[in-house]
């Protein structure tokens, strides 16, 4: 499989707190990589550094074998490679569902209104929300808002989806409908990196799972290896506390 993303010796600190420590990570096209671990381990920071919402202190990021240099590259164009879905939806409350989905393609990618609308309709249909296209975010459940947020991220035709605890604000029933959308994306071959506390979901959808703590990857492997036969004592303790 072709490598799409690589982090080499990436370090990130906030003041005196080092959040990522010499992080090395490589992701292949079509892979679904789940990152699990305790709160405060730096999991969300990884995603924010990958698309440069947070600048790194040192290290290198390669996308499709090209080193990203923030001093020379167009950061906005670089970010278009990624669709980012946050735990708090971040929809524009004053825009309808279809306006939320078409805004970035029209304003950033300069796609015509007609083409943007056509794509938005297809995406809303794929996440089961075509009947809500003219509704406003406040009229939707949390699960529906999160599905709109996923459609909005997909509207820019990203090469990699970054999903940050996208079910943490939802109750279990709504979580299921969002995870189904992500599952469908995985089946279509979308490259995804997701930070999640949904162990069952990570087990089901991931090609690879990383257990992360203290700014480092403690252990990585297939879902079977990590969840059924973890080697690190720290991974074992974390899973024992999470699963019981």
């Amino acid at each position: 499989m072709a490598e799409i993303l690589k982090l080499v010796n990436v370090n990130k600190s906030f003041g005196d707190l080092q959040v990522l420590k010499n992080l090395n990570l490589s992701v292949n096209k079509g892979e679904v990589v789940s990152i699990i671990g305790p709160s405060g381990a730096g999991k969300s920071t990884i995603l924010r550094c990958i698309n440069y919402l947070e600048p790194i202190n040192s290290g290198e990021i390669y996308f499709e074998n090209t080193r990203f240099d923030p001093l020379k590259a167009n950061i906005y164009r670089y970010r278009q490679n990624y669709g980012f879905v946050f735990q708090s939806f971040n929809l524009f409350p004053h825009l309808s569902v279809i306006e939320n989905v078409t805004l970035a393609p029209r304003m950033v990618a300069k796609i015509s209104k007609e083409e943007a609308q056509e794509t938005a309709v297809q995406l809303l249909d794929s996440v089961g929300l075509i009947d809500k296209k003219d509704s406003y975010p406040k009229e939707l459940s949390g699960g529906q808002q999160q599905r709109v947020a996923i459609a909005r991220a997909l509207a820019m035709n990203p090469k990699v989806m970054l999903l940050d605890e996208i079910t943490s604000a939802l109750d279990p029933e709504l979580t299921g409908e969002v995870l189904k959308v992500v599952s469908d994306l995985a089946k279509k071959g979308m490259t995804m990196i997701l930070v999640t506390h949904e162990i069952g979901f990570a087990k089901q959808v991931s090609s690879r799972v990383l257990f992360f703590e203290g700014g480092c990857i403690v252990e990585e492997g297939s879902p079977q290896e990590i969840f059924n036969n973890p080697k690190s004592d720290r991974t074992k303790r974390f899973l024992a506390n999470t699963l019981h």
Side-chain angles (χ1 to χ4, degrees), residues 171-208:
D171 65 40
E173 192 177 352
L174 299 178
T175 293
E177 64 187 46
V178 172
L179 297 184
K180 181 188 179 305
V181 171
V182 177
S183 254
D184 290 345
L185 283 176
K187 285 174 191 151
K188 290 175 186 165
M190 172 61 79
T191 309
M192 289 188 275
I193 306 171
L194 53 135
V195 168
T196 185
H197 62 285
E198 296 280 343
I199 299 297
F201 177 64
K203 206 172 193 171
Q204 174 195 328
V205 80
S206 312
S207 335
R208 189 156 44 110

Side-chain angles (χ1 to χ4, degrees), residues 124-161:
L124 288 170
D125 190 36
S126 75
V127 298
L129 286 174
I130 192 62
D131 58 325
K132 301 288 186 187
K133 69 182 175 64
D134 298 317
S135 303
Y136 286 82
K138 69 175 187 297
E139 299 167 329
L140 305 179
S141 71
Q144 289 170 332
Q145 289 188 57
Q146 195 57 291
R147 284 187 280 154
V148 173
I150 293 170
R152 180 178 63 178
L154 290 169
M156 290 295 285
N157 199 21
K159 294 178 178 175
V160 177
M161 287 287 277

Side-chain angles (χ1 to χ4, degrees), residues 6-241:
K6 184 162 75 168
L7 276 60
V8 180
N9 295 331
V10 166
N11 289 281
K12 173 66 185 174
S13 297
F14 295 102
D16 293 334
L17 178 67
Q18 190 170 2
V19 183
L20 301 180
K21 300 172 184 170
N22 284 328
L23 180 68
N24 290 287
L25 171 64
S26 132
V27 178
N28 289 328
K29 202 170 189 302
E31 238 192 329
V32 179
V33 177
S34 290
I35 303 174
I36 62 167
S39 296
K43 305 186 299 294
S44 295
T45 304
I46 296 174
L47 299 188
R48 298 176 74 84
C49 287
I50 285 172
N51 83 335
Y52 237 74
L53 278 174
E54 288 288 352
I56 61 177
N57 296 106
S58 63
E60 296 171 337
I61 298 173
Y62 292 85
F63 189 82
E64 293 183 328
N65 298 318
T66 301
R67 181 171 172 258
F68 169 65
D69 182 346
L71 299 176
K72 294 178 184 163
N74 178 326
I75 288 181
Y76 299 103
R77 192 165 299 144
Y78 170 75
R79 280 192 191 132
Q80 284 180 38
N81 293 308
Y82 304 99
F84 206 128
V85 185
F86 301 86
Q87 63 188 78
S88 54
F89 322 137
N90 288 7
L91 298 176
F92 294 108
H94 61 292
L95 297 180
S96 69
V97 163
I98 197 155
E99 287 167 341
N100 263 285
V101 177
T102 57
L103 183 68
R106 290 176 58 200
M107 306 304 282
V108 180
K110 306 297 182 200
I111 287 168
S112 72
K113 184 178 180 182
E114 293 70 28
E115 193 183 335
Q117 292 264 10
E118 197 177 310
T119 302
V121 165
Q122 288 170 357
L123 288 169
L124 288 170
D125 190 36
S126 75
V127 298
L129 286 174
I130 192 62
D131 58 325
K132 301 288 186 187
K133 69 182 175 64
D134 298 317
S135 303
Y136 286 82
K138 69 175 187 297
E139 299 167 329
L140 305 179
S141 71
Q144 289 170 332
Q145 289 188 57
Q146 195 57 291
R147 284 187 280 154
V148 173
I150 293 170
R152 180 178 63 178
L154 290 169
M156 290 295 285
N157 199 21
K159 294 178 178 175
V160 177
M161 287 287 277
L162 305 173
L163 309 173
D164 188 12
E165 292 281 18
I166 58 168
T167 58
S168 65
L170 305 177
D171 65 40
E173 192 177 352
L174 299 178
T175 293
E177 64 187 46
V178 172
L179 297 184
K180 181 188 179 305
V181 171
V182 177
S183 254
D184 290 345
L185 283 176
K187 285 174 191 151
K188 290 175 186 165
M190 172 61 79
T191 309
M192 289 188 275
I193 306 171
L194 53 135
V195 168
T196 185
H197 62 285
E198 296 280 343
I199 299 297
F201 177 64
K203 206 172 193 171
Q204 174 195 328
V205 80
S206 312
S207 335
R208 189 156 44 110
V209 177
L210 314 179
F211 174 66
F212 201 79
E213 186 180 50
C216 305
I217 297 169
V218 174
E219 187 170 356
E220 66 178 293
S222 69
Q224 291 73 20
E225 288 167 334
I226 296 296
F227 296 123
N228 300 343
N229 191 22
K231 293 181 173 53
S232 152
D233 287 342
R234 184 60 195 100
T235 313
K236 288 174 189 169
R237 281 202 309 277
F238 173 78
L239 290 173
N241 291 334

